[in-house]
Amino acid sequence: MVDKASLDDLVEGLAGAVVEAQRRIETHQIDNFLSFFDEDRRPKKIDVLVPSLHPDARGKDVRYRVPILPLIASSLLRIKEVEISFDTDLVGVNTPSDESGKSGGEPQLDAENPSPKHLKSVSLDLRGGGVFRKKPASAHVVLKIEGRDISEGMARLIDRLIQVQGDIETVGDQ
């Protein structure tokens, strides 16, 4: 395990982990969505028996074919909030040197990139626990996920599937 790292690297690593977690959530949701379709990308359906609404078919059931997707409550998930707290020791401030080998001074700017080229950074001791290292470094992560409404495209697909469902045969008296 690395004992020292810059705060910049730590923040970049944590941000990358959150982005990867959201990508995995989205991949899982796509896989779940595709499970409602067969290999030919046709919607999977179930047949149910419901009482006929036709006046001439009183007492008879109708076999009704229903796509499964509209029957399932759909919502999309996304990471709403991430809270990360950890124990660490500050080791020092790193002062990068510029191209001429000088250390310190003001950050260098140029015309193509108006942001500073060299910034000071903070080094952290990832072992944590103070001078005697009796307590290992610890982290506490809280990841809040929220449901959100389905997309307009998903709503249109579900509406279309509802429109094409229907009676397939009348079943005798029960």
Side-chain angles (χ1 to χ4, degrees):
M1 179 179 149
V2 176
D3 291 341
K4 271 187 11 179
S6 74
L7 182 59
D8 301 345
D9 292 340
L10 182 61
V11 170
E12 184 178 338
L14 293 172
V18 171
V19 169
E20 177 63 16
Q22 180 62 42
R23 186 195 65 75
R24 287 183 182 192
I25 289 170
E26 291 166 356
T27 298
H28 175 74
Q29 290 177 144
I30 290 169
D31 291 343
N32 182 49
F33 171 76
L34 292 176
S35 74
F36 293 101
F37 296 87
D38 64 18
E39 305 82 35
D40 297 323
R41 299 289 192 243
R42 284 187 236 134
K44 292 180 181 176
K45 302 172 207 79
I46 60 170
D47 292 347
V48 294
L49 295 177
V50 295
S52 176
L53 297 176
H54 196 278
D56 296 336
R58 294 225 180 250
K60 295 184 179 182
D61 287 337
V62 174
R63 188 173 311 276
Y64 199 71
R65 183 160 289 156
V66 183
I68 297 172
L69 182 62
L71 299 177
I72 307 300
S74 298
S75 70
L76 301 176
L77 299 177
R78 71 175 175 156
I79 297 174
K80 177 181 179 181
E81 185 178 325
V82 177
E83 177 184 312
I84 302 171
S85 61
F86 53 91
D87 295 324
T88 186
D89 292 331
L90 297 176
V91 176
V93 176
N94 300 326
T95 306
S97 58
D98 62 18
E99 293 81 41
S100 63
K102 293 184 240 171
S103 180
E106 291 295 314
Q108 300 296 313
L109 302 177
D110 64 29
E112 289 110 29
N113 185 6
S115 64
K117 282 185 177 179
H118 302 289
L119 296 175
K120 294 180 181 181
S121 65
V122 175
S123 290
L124 306 173
D125 182 349
L126 298 179
R127 293 176 297 176
V131 178
F132 298 107
R133 312 284 183 245
K134 291 183 180 180
K135 181 176 85 172
S138 63
H140 177 75
V141 178
V142 176
L143 189 67
K144 294 182 182 178
I145 297 177
E146 71 175 350
R148 58 184 174 143
D149 294 335
I150 59 174
S151 65
E152 184 176 338
M154 175 70 93
R156 287 182 183 198
L157 175 62
I158 290 172
D159 286 344
R160 177 72 177 131
L161 290 174
I162 290 170
Q163 291 172 8
V164 299
Q165 68 189 10
D167 300 348
I168 57 172
E169 68 178 284
T170 303
V171 181
D173 290 321
Q174 301 252 339

